[in-house]
Amino acid sequence: MMRNKNRGKVSLQWIVILCIFSFALGMLFTNRMLFAPVSEDQIIYTRRHLEDVAANSDDCATNKKLIQNEEVLGEFSKAHEAIQSLDSSIAKLRLELPSNKKQHNSGQFENLTDNTVTRKKAFMVIGINTAFSSRRRRDSIRETWMPRGKSLLQLELEKGIVVRFMIGHSATSNSILDRAIDSEYAQHKDFLRLEHIEGYHELSAKTKSFFSTAVQRWDAEFYVKVDDDVHVNLGTLAATLARHRSKPRVYIGCMKSGPVLHQNNVKYHEPEYWKFGEEGNKYFRHATGQIYAISKDLANYISINQPILHKYANEDVSLGAWFIGLEVEHIDDRSMCCGTPPECEWKAQAGNVCVASFDWSCSGICKSVERIKDVHAKCGEDAPTLWDALV
């Protein structure tokens, strides 16, 4: 009886051997965990082996070591499962995400519709600032200086001159105003819709949105903003901008420096007048807002820094402020702010066709819907001027 009982116990010598074996086995598996992938079968086999060793040993130190190994192995098993899950998720994402390889290689994309993010080469992109209530103004422009239909597309494809009415959305989703613009777009295909809520006091934000959106869709040399009550000669504008192609950062327009209006309840009131010094001070030089052009680098600058560019009350002041601390060449071109007949008419007769014409008293053509046809007839460039531009 005593002998059989003693045979059931493990001698001290065997306990020591089992301790050394367990330690070596633990080191072996630790190295495998750090440097080699472990299969689920290996994990199960190791766990069973440790359980067998624990069952045949009464030594406390050995049991403690085995418990620690079991805890480490359990943590490793969880990590192994997490890695497998992560690999599976990454593989799934690779299948779901579209490939950008074609985009990086091509440098430009096919333009499917104005609602698709595209990027085509162009010489200049012109955004005509308009509002929901300005349908008659838009139609008057379509009937005068802006090509329509196939001619608009031909101008874009052959000359790289892109012309679009730019407008955002109403404060109410899918309102009657938005649906009216959608219907007009379906008819003319000449809108650039912006992620912007329309409002008179949001013109600075709209300007940022226009340049950012235009840069995303077209890789142009120049980007132009014009109001929808201004007459423009597109061919003359193209020829004017082409003279500045070699300059990296140009800001072209009719430069001015008007007074900072601090009085409340007046048009063009500047709430932040105190930033410009004492009362009666003037703004820094900036292009008048009826029409101006900026080169590619400046448009990219606006697009990249859009969230942190400060907006003043007046849109043209805001644009000038964004450039005031940069290495930018300000080009004062008075042909971009001619008066309506007789001024622009006299210049046209003398061979100095104006880029743009409007009335300073109205910040545009006074009664533009009724008068723009007369301005176009007397001050408009010859048809070949546009199609011979940028030869």
Side-chain angles (χ1 to χ4, degrees):
M1 292 288 293
M2 186 66 67
R3 286 182 179 180
N4 293 336
K5 187 175 182 180
N6 289 337
R7 286 176 184 176
K9 292 186 176 180
V10 181
S11 67
L12 181 61
Q13 183 177 3
W14 280 105
I15 290 173
V16 174
I17 293 173
L18 287 173
C19 287
I20 295 172
F21 176 76
S22 299
F23 178 77
L25 188 63
M27 292 297 294
L28 175 62
F29 271 89
T30 300
N31 288 335
R32 282 175 172 266
M33 286 186 279
L34 290 174
F35 301 107
V38 181
S39 66
E40 293 182 2
D41 292 338
Q42 289 175 314
I43 294 173
I44 295 172
Y45 172 80
T46 305
R47 183 182 284 112
R48 288 178 177 174
H49 181 77
L50 290 172
E51 289 173 353
D52 292 339
V53 173
N56 292 314
S57 175
D58 293 330
D59 184 79
C60 293
T62 303
N63 285 338
K64 183 177 181 180
K65 182 66 178 179
L66 293 174
I67 291 172
Q68 291 175 343
N69 285 337
E70 177 70 10
E71 290 175 349
V72 171
L73 189 58
E75 292 298 322
F76 175 74
S77 178
K78 293 178 181 178
H80 179 68
E81 292 173 358
I83 292 172
Q84 287 181 324
S85 176
L86 181 61
D87 287 340
S88 176
S89 299
I90 293 173
K92 184 177 180 181
L93 284 172
R94 284 175 176 170
L95 292 174
E96 293 177 350
L97 290 174
S99 174
N100 291 326
K101 185 176 180 181
K102 181 179 179 181
Q103 298 178 357
H104 291 308
N105 290 338
S106 64
Q108 56 181 309
F109 307 89
E110 290 186 2
N111 183 13
L112 301 179
T113 68
D114 271 355
N115 295 321
T116 305
V117 176
T118 61
R119 189 164 170 80
K120 276 193 170 184
K121 288 285 186 180
F123 172 69
M124 65 178 177
V125 176
I126 302 171
I128 307 172
N129 184 31
T130 192
F132 291 117
S133 60
S134 298
R135 173 64 190 261
R136 295 181 65 208
R137 284 187 180 183
R138 292 190 291 272
D139 285 340
S140 69
I141 288 178
R142 293 180 181 119
E143 293 169 2
T144 53
W145 61 266
M146 178 181 177
R148 291 178 289 177
K150 293 182 179 180
S151 295
L152 185 65
L153 180 60
Q154 182 183 1
L155 185 67
E156 181 175 340
L157 295 176
E158 295 184 6
K159 299 298 179 181
I161 299 176
V162 180
V163 188
R164 297 287 189 275
F165 290 105
M166 59 161 167
I167 193 167
H169 300 271
S170 65
T172 305
S173 178
N174 196 32
S175 70
I176 188 172
L177 298 174
D178 292 309
R179 293 198 299 272
I181 294 296
D182 292 340
S183 176
E184 192 176 343
Y185 170 80
Q187 180 182 358
H188 295 285
K189 299 293 191 297
D190 57 6
F191 278 96
L192 177 64
R193 299 302 296 271
L194 308 176
E195 290 300 322
H196 168 77
I197 303 300
E198 287 290 322
Y200 179 78
H201 296 292
E202 298 297 328
L203 292 179
S204 295
K206 187 174 184 178
T207 298
K208 289 199 293 184
S209 181
F210 162 63
F211 286 120
S212 180
T213 305
V215 164
Q216 292 171 13
R217 299 195 179 194
W218 293 281
D219 179 15
E221 296 182 51
F222 295 95
Y223 298 84
V224 183
K225 177 261 177 180
V226 60
D227 288 340
D228 63 2
D229 56 353
V230 172
H231 181 271
V232 179
N233 286 314
L234 292 174
T236 305
L237 173 60
T240 299
L241 298 183
R243 294 197 292 268
H244 305 289
R245 291 177 107 161
S246 61
K247 302 172 183 178
R249 294 172 298 279
V250 290
Y251 172 31
I252 309 169
C254 291
M255 299 296 164
K256 66 174 184 176
S257 180
V260 181
L261 302 178
H262 65 278
Q263 300 91 344
N264 289 321
N265 302 320
V266 297
K267 192 175 184 180
Y268 308 127
H269 164 66
E270 178 59 73
E272 297 182 85
Y273 63 89
W274 59 273
K275 288 185 177 180
F276 299 91
E278 302 299 326
E279 292 182 6
N281 279 3
K282 292 185 176 182
Y283 288 115
F284 41 77
R285 289 285 172 182
H286 61 278
T288 185
Q290 286 86 348
I291 180 173
Y292 50 74
I294 62 175
S295 56
K296 176 193 297 188
D297 286 353
L298 297 182
N300 283 326
Y301 173 81
I302 293 174
S303 178
I304 293 169
N305 297 284
Q306 181 181 183
I308 60 172
L309 294 177
H310 185 68
K311 298 174 293 183
Y312 288 101
N314 300 298
E315 168 254 342
D316 52 358
V317 172
S318 294
L319 186 77
W322 301 337
F323 300 152
I324 199 68
L326 306 179
E327 286 293 338
V328 175
E329 182 176 354
H330 291 56
I331 297 174
D332 184 18
D333 192 327
R334 309 315 289 184
S335 72
M336 296 180 72
C337 54
C338 294
T340 54
E343 181 185 345
C344 61
E345 184 179 10
W346 294 339
K347 291 184 177 181
Q349 291 173 354
N352 299 317
V353 177
C354 292
V355 171
S357 301
F358 58 88
D359 300 306
W360 283 104
S361 59
C362 298
S363 298
I365 298 175
C366 299
K367 299 182 179 179
S368 63
V369 173
E370 293 81 8
R371 295 184 58 224
I372 195 168
K373 287 185 179 181
D374 181 61
V375 175
H376 184 65
K378 295 178 179 178
C379 303
E381 63 194 3
D382 295 334
T385 302
L386 173 58
W387 297 103
D388 292 341
L390 307 174
V391 175

